[in-house]
Amino acid sequence: MIIKNARVLNDSFVFEKKDLFIRNDRFVSDKECDSSKLIDAKSLTALPGLVDIHFHGAAGHDFMEGTCDAIKAIASYEALRGITSITPATMTMSEDAIIKASEAAASFVPSNTESSLEGIYMEGPFVSEKKLGAQNSDYVKTCDASFFERVLKSSDGLIKNVVVAPETDGALEFIEKFSSKVRVSLGHTACDYDTACRAFTAGAKGLTHTFNAMNPLHHRAPGPIAAASDSDCVLLELISDGVHIHESMIRALFKLASGRVILISDSMAATGLDDGESSLGGQTVYVKGNMATLKDGTLAGSVTNLFDCMKYAVKSGIALETAVKSASYNPALALGLEHTLGSIKEGLRADLLLVDDSLNLRGVILRGNTLFFN
């Protein structure tokens, strides 16, 4: 496939006019491309496929249903919205439920119309009861190595990230033990600055949905956000859906952690559906517009997909190049897959979006296959 006349966001995340060449499922040089199939992308911009490393569901399905049918429905929805790679998230539920979801993920093989599943984001049960958010308190546990090893085995090694509240019993020892095997993120935590710093020194590399379910920035008690900002190896997640974070704080975080923000959707099953009742991790959720809450009014994930979160970041004043990198390359980097996906470069997987000047999605190339183009 040859894509001509596009304005391309290249692997340096700088725009340039160039033609793109695809052979099988990879970007290649013009000499390696023997295809006569041509897409004229005049007046369009080519962006790398987006990578959502933290979300729970979409299109009426939750990852914790633990079935391939649920994953297929979710992966189909995501692909059509330009999210070409996914790592769905578990919830704080029973070990059996988490293992069921992990086993389903391990058996999932995407079709040509479904996003690739690159891992599992394990959110819970090692969280703080003081910062539950929409997690279920009935299943909260302190860090348990044997529990985690059983889940990791059931996933066939697909667990790529585990969330930990570092102030809880045994958390720092857990981080030291497992941070060489999986990425550890601090989240759903009431920890202070010093505890967060110790956790990052022990090997934690991420901050889960920054600002949400953690102590805020304060000039005398800076908390985990400042600790993450001070730790150059840490990537900070952000839900830029227009509900979880005020646009001024979106701008603030991109300044505070320049180059280290990962945009996530944290989307739930109701994403893509009309208003009404839905569920998240077995709990009833009420959706109205772009807001989803538990019965007590607690925010319960988002109903916005990652492509629209990226657009909202741009609307909030973040440069398009920066917003796209935070939704493609940075999440790929967090997964250790930056040499496979997340940018437009020869040799990398051919996941590509075509957008117009208003950031309307006009086409998706998924692993070298044209999902749609209009």
Side-chain angles (χ1 to χ4, degrees), residues 33-209:
C33 182
D34 56 6
S35 175
S36 60
K37 183 177 180 180
L38 186 146
I39 289 179
D40 186 354
K42 184 179 181 181
S43 301
L44 297 179
T45 297
L47 307 175
L50 305 189
V51 183
D52 200 345
I53 67 166
H54 182 174
F55 77 108
H56 297 276
H61 291 278
D62 188 317
F63 177 58
M64 291 303 292
E65 290 173 35
T67 68
C68 273
D69 285 345
I71 298 174
K72 289 177 73 66
I74 292 167
S76 178
Y77 170 90
E78 298 292 330
L80 285 170
R81 275 85 187 162
I83 301 99
T84 54
S85 302
I86 56 175
T87 61
T90 64
M91 288 287 289
T92 300
M93 295 179 69
S94 70
E95 180 177 344
D96 287 346
I98 295 171
I99 285 177
K100 182 183 178 185
S102 299
E103 289 176 342
S107 66
F108 173 70
V109 178
S111 73
N112 288 339
T113 61
E114 295 164 352
S115 302
S116 62
L117 191 151
E118 300 296 342
I120 298 168
Y121 190 102
M122 187 172 168
E123 187 178 17
F126 309 136
V127 298
S128 167
E129 293 197 14
K130 296 179 181 178
K131 296 290 183 180
L132 284 172
Q135 302 293 328
N136 192 331
S137 61
D138 290 344
Y139 299 104
V140 170
K141 293 175 65 69
T142 54
C143 288
D144 182 330
S146 60
F147 178 104
F148 179 70
E149 286 171 338
R150 290 192 296 272
V151 174
L152 184 62
K153 182 179 180 180
S154 73
S155 76
D156 197 21
L158 272 179
I159 304 292
K160 300 300 183 183
N161 190 98
V162 58
V163 176
V164 169
E167 74 277 16
T168 57
D169 290 345
L172 293 177
E173 292 81 4
F174 180 92
I175 294 169
E176 289 174 347
K177 180 177 178 66
F178 289 106
S179 59
S180 62
K181 297 180 180 179
V182 298
R183 181 171 177 267
V184 179
S185 290
L186 308 189
H188 290 276
T189 173
C191 74
D192 60 15
Y193 173 87
D194 291 335
T195 303
C197 286
R198 285 194 290 271
F200 293 134
T201 299
K205 293 290 193 294
L207 194 64
T208 295
H209 44 50

Side-chain angles (χ1 to χ4, degrees), residues 148-315:
F148 179 70
E149 286 171 338
R150 290 192 296 272
V151 174
L152 184 62
K153 182 179 180 180
S154 73
S155 76
D156 197 21
L158 272 179
I159 304 292
K160 300 300 183 183
N161 190 98
V162 58
V163 176
V164 169
E167 74 277 16
T168 57
D169 290 345
L172 293 177
E173 292 81 4
F174 180 92
I175 294 169
E176 289 174 347
K177 180 177 178 66
F178 289 106
S179 59
S180 62
K181 297 180 180 179
V182 298
R183 181 171 177 267
V184 179
S185 290
L186 308 189
H188 290 276
T189 173
C191 74
D192 60 15
Y193 173 87
D194 291 335
T195 303
C197 286
R198 285 194 290 271
F200 293 134
T201 299
K205 293 290 193 294
L207 194 64
T208 295
H209 44 50
T210 304
F211 299 117
N212 297 113
M214 64 184 61
N215 290 330
L217 279 168
H218 186 278
H219 55 287
R220 287 190 298 275
I225 301 167
S229 175
D230 284 345
S231 302
D232 291 341
C233 64
V234 175
L235 297 171
L236 297 82
E237 300 172 13
L238 185 70
I239 311 170
S240 56
D241 64 346
V243 173
H244 283 75
I245 309 293
H246 191 280
E247 64 180 51
S248 67
M249 296 305 287
I250 293 174
R251 294 189 294 271
L253 189 68
F254 273 89
K255 293 174 182 176
L256 193 65
S258 179
R260 294 190 283 124
V261 175
I262 295 178
L263 294 180
I264 62 168
S265 72
D266 202 17
S267 70
M268 49 165 288
T271 303
L273 304 182
D274 294 333
D275 292 357
E277 288 189 16
S278 185
S279 65
L280 177 64
Q283 299 183 94
T284 301
V285 174
Y286 303 88
V287 178
K288 186 173 182 180
N290 62 346
M291 183 176 291
T293 61
L294 300 180
K295 187 175 182 179
D296 64 2
T298 300
L299 284 177
S302 87
V303 288
T304 306
N305 65 59
L306 181 60
F307 184 84
D308 287 337
C309 286
M310 181 270 292
K311 287 178 65 173
Y312 189 83
V314 174
K315 176 179 176 291

